[in-house]
Amino acid sequence: MTDLTKLTLAEARDGLAKGDYTSVELTQAHLKSMEAHRNLNAYITETPDKAIEMAKVSDAKRAKGDAGNMEGLPIAVKDLFCTEGVQTTAASHILEGFKPEYESTVTSKLFDNGAVMLGKANLDEFAMGSANTSSYYGNVINPWKGKDGKNLVPGGSSGGSAAAVAGGMALAATGTDTGGSIRQPASYCGIVGLKPTYGRCSRWGVVAFASSLDQAGPMTKTVRDAAIMLGSMAGHDAKDSTSAPMAVPDFEAALTGDIRGMKIGIPKEYRVDGMPEEISKLWENGVAMLRDAGAEVVDVTLPHTKYALGTYYIVAPAEASSNLARYDGLRYGQRVMDEGDSLDDMYSKSRAAGFGKEVQRRIMIGTYVLSAGYYDAYYNKALKVRRRIYEDFANAFGKVDAILAPTAPSAAFAIGENEDDPVKMYLNDVFTVPASLAGLPGLSLPAGLSSEGLPLGLQLIGKPFDEETVLRVGGVLESAANFTAKPFGQEG
């Protein structure tokens, strides 16, 4: 039998439909792979018993002719999504042992469509990070290795999800993207990551980082897989006031393979100082591929791009400081209290012990920019700049159908690099943050290899709620790039 862990989501779906194997067999293969690759630390919580039980139910449904869109397909769930009865930690000590009594809307939709949960994937604590090194449960290791054999970061914050998919430990995974946390790890791990338009997928039941930016999306092996999975994640949710009341299109049907006559924008502001030559070359190759496929390449300008990173690191920490105020050691989560302590003592001790350094740093930044003396100088000004960034994209999309840019300024770097320089770490999001601030859909796909033999991604940005065009162009670019390289152990 074919190695079932090397199948794409679409291939596995078709094989199940033909009866080539059962969901139980497919799930068991991935559980064995998870066990064999525990050294990568991709999962915080493995749920083998639950997975086999769900797979058996899926096989029974299929036998009755009642198969859903994701029926019997084993996936990883980022440990930011609340899962009923299964520990949900957000990779933080403060939520260790927390078992929700409810299911997030996105995972509920996936399970209703037949998806099988293999476990809860590791991440940066509260989704704050670009390297997946801030998790209380230890850093995740990228399945790819550099030429020097060093362990590499998988990107963040959805690093566990990316590593699980790239390493054959899940057919696909859920991720969340606040400033690039689906797209950047997808680029580092050589997979596809799709951040939908803000409001396309419900945020209900997803542990909040920055509420005006957080968006759930699929992390998969191919563009077609992303289209399949997004169809089962998206849809209006009355429980989420930011959820868009829009019908869910057939995303897979958008993959026509034809982009003739489409206009693709190339933003000059993304040619940043010090951009590595191999990133520039990758971008040029992507432009040539789309031009060869019949698209018209158009130069566009996004003049406020240079302010995007600074704006993001005011808005996101400000929202985080508000959202994370609920973790007080009183209602749920970890509590640290000595005899004779006041309520304030308990509050401060619980938060100091429960939050890691990066989360504490961002809470402090957010609290500072929201304080009475600095609200107008920082936060209010950042909101105005954010609006300008959105208007830049709106003007550009008056001329083009999609925008092509690099996903990240480099390939994956070694674990431990940049750890002492948070600003340098934040620069990993320089190409992904603008689309997040504008609430636009963005797709990263592997398009080449670095000089070290590591994957490099290109990013497609689309108009609001036009994931179909992003996927269509992505499918063509994927075929032209013909990226077939795999991490060590996943070849063949």
Side-chain angles (χ1 to χ4, degrees):
M1 183 183 288
T2 306
D3 184 346
L4 300 181
T5 66
K6 294 180 180 176
L7 297 173
T8 67
L9 201 67
E11 290 168 345
R13 176 192 63 179
D14 296 344
L16 285 169
K18 290 187 290 186
D20 292 345
Y21 36 79
T22 64
S23 176
V24 169
E25 291 171 332
L26 193 60
T27 300
Q28 286 173 333
H30 283 88
L31 290 172
K32 287 179 182 177
S33 180
M34 289 163 62
E35 187 175 348
H37 294 99
R38 281 192 183 134
N39 62 304
L40 300 180
N41 202 31
Y43 288 87
I44 291 174
T45 303
E46 296 180 9
T47 56
D49 294 341
K50 185 177 181 67
I52 294 297
E53 181 183 334
M54 294 174 82
K56 287 178 179 177
V57 171
S58 279
D59 286 335
K61 284 174 65 181
R62 188 175 294 280
K64 295 177 182 176
D66 185 26
N69 190 47
M70 292 279 292
E71 199 64 62
L73 300 173
I75 65 169
V77 174
K78 184 178 182 179
D79 200 19
L80 206 63
F81 292 82
C82 287
T83 43
E84 186 177 3
V86 177
Q87 178 178 248
T88 300
T89 69
S92 180
H93 181 42
I94 207 161
L95 279 176
E96 188 174 14
F98 172 58
K99 294 183 179 180
E101 297 182 3
Y102 52 88
E103 192 74 45
S104 80
T105 296
V106 164
T107 50
S108 182
K109 284 178 176 288
L110 285 166
F111 299 157
D112 286 347
N113 275 279
V116 171
M117 182 174 75
L118 294 165
K120 306 295 292 292
N122 207 341
L123 64 146
D124 279 299
E125 185 180 7
F126 281 102
M128 299 180 194
S130 303
N132 215 144
T133 54
S134 68
S135 170
Y136 174 73
Y137 302 92
N139 58 274
V140 177
I141 298 172
N142 194 325
W144 293 77
K145 285 279 192 293
K147 286 183 178 178
D148 57 7
K150 286 184 179 179
N151 287 334
L152 306 175
V153 301
S157 65
S158 305
S161 295
V165 176
M169 293 172 274
L171 285 175
T174 65
T176 62
D177 193 307
T178 306
S181 290
I182 286 175
R183 292 161 288 160
Q184 185 248 28
S187 177
Y188 281 7
C189 291
I191 65 168
V192 173
L194 173 60
K195 183 198 90 71
T197 308
Y198 181 80
R200 174 66 86 181
C201 297
S202 172
R203 292 185 302 108
W204 194 86
V206 181
V207 178
F209 165 13
S211 299
S212 74
L213 294 160
D214 298 343
Q215 185 57 205
M219 304 184 75
T220 60
K221 296 177 182 177
T222 68
V223 173
R224 183 171 297 277
D225 288 358
I228 293 168
M229 191 168 176
L230 180 59
S232 292
M233 296 175 68
H236 180 244
D237 179 14
K239 298 192 291 292
D240 176 7
S241 62
T242 63
S243 173
M246 299 179 70
V248 179
D250 184 346
F251 295 114
E252 192 176 4
L255 301 176
T256 63
D258 186 5
I259 61 169
R260 289 173 296 178
M262 291 181 66
K263 294 182 178 180
I264 308 298
I266 307 300
K268 64 180 183 180
E269 290 81 7
Y270 279 52
R271 298 190 186 280
V272 296
D273 293 339
M275 179 187 284
E277 179 62 30
E278 60 188 13
I279 300 295
S280 295
K281 185 66 176 174
L282 180 83
W283 196 5
E284 291 168 9
N285 290 344
V287 170
M289 291 174 199
L290 295 180
R291 190 180 278 125
D292 290 345
E296 180 184 348
V297 176
V298 179
D299 288 331
V300 296
T301 181
L302 301 169
H304 292 89
T305 295
K306 61 184 176 181
Y307 304 116
L309 207 60
T311 298
Y312 174 82
Y313 279 103
I314 291 173
V315 173
E319 295 185 10
S321 73
S322 177
N323 278 326
L324 271 61
R326 72 192 67 178
Y327 304 107
D328 52 14
L330 185 64
R331 287 163 287 191
Y332 50 82
Q334 297 297 310
R335 178 183 300 176
V336 178
M337 188 175 187
D338 298 322
E339 188 175 346
D341 277 353
S342 67
L343 190 63
D344 285 346
D345 291 335
M346 183 204 72
Y347 185 67
S348 60
K349 287 181 179 179
S350 296
R351 289 167 67 82
F355 291 141
K357 289 183 179 179
E358 181 59 31
V359 173
Q360 291 183 28
R361 179 185 292 119
R362 298 203 194 191
I363 289 173
M364 292 294 288
I365 293 170
T367 303
Y368 178 79
V369 301
L370 289 176
S371 60
Y374 300 98
Y375 182 91
D376 286 330
Y378 292 104
Y379 184 68
N380 222 13
K381 188 176 289 185
L383 294 182
K384 293 175 182 177
V385 176
R386 182 180 185 180
R387 181 66 191 178
R388 292 288 183 270
I389 291 168
Y390 173 81
E391 290 169 353
D392 287 348
F393 277 109
N395 291 334
F397 283 123
K399 304 172 186 173
V400 299
D401 299 296
I403 289 171
L404 178 70
T407 304
S410 70
F413 49 88
I415 292 172
E417 284 184 21
N418 307 332
E419 286 294 302
D420 297 327
D421 188 349
V423 174
K424 192 172 182 181
M425 192 72 84
Y426 295 165
L427 288 171
N428 288 303
D429 299 329
V430 66
F431 297 132
T432 53
V433 156
S436 293
L437 288 169
L440 302 174
L443 173 80
S444 177
L445 58 92
L449 293 173
S450 73
S451 58
E452 292 286 309
L454 300 174
L456 298 171
L458 284 174
Q459 176 185 198
L460 288 159
I461 303 168
K463 300 174 184 177
F465 298 102
D466 191 16
E467 289 85 359
E468 291 164 285
T469 293
V470 171
L471 288 162
R472 180 178 296 118
V473 179
V476 170
L477 189 58
E478 179 182 56
S479 295
N482 192 30
F483 184 88
T484 58
K486 302 291 181 187
F488 179 74
Q490 289 295 306
E491 303 92 336

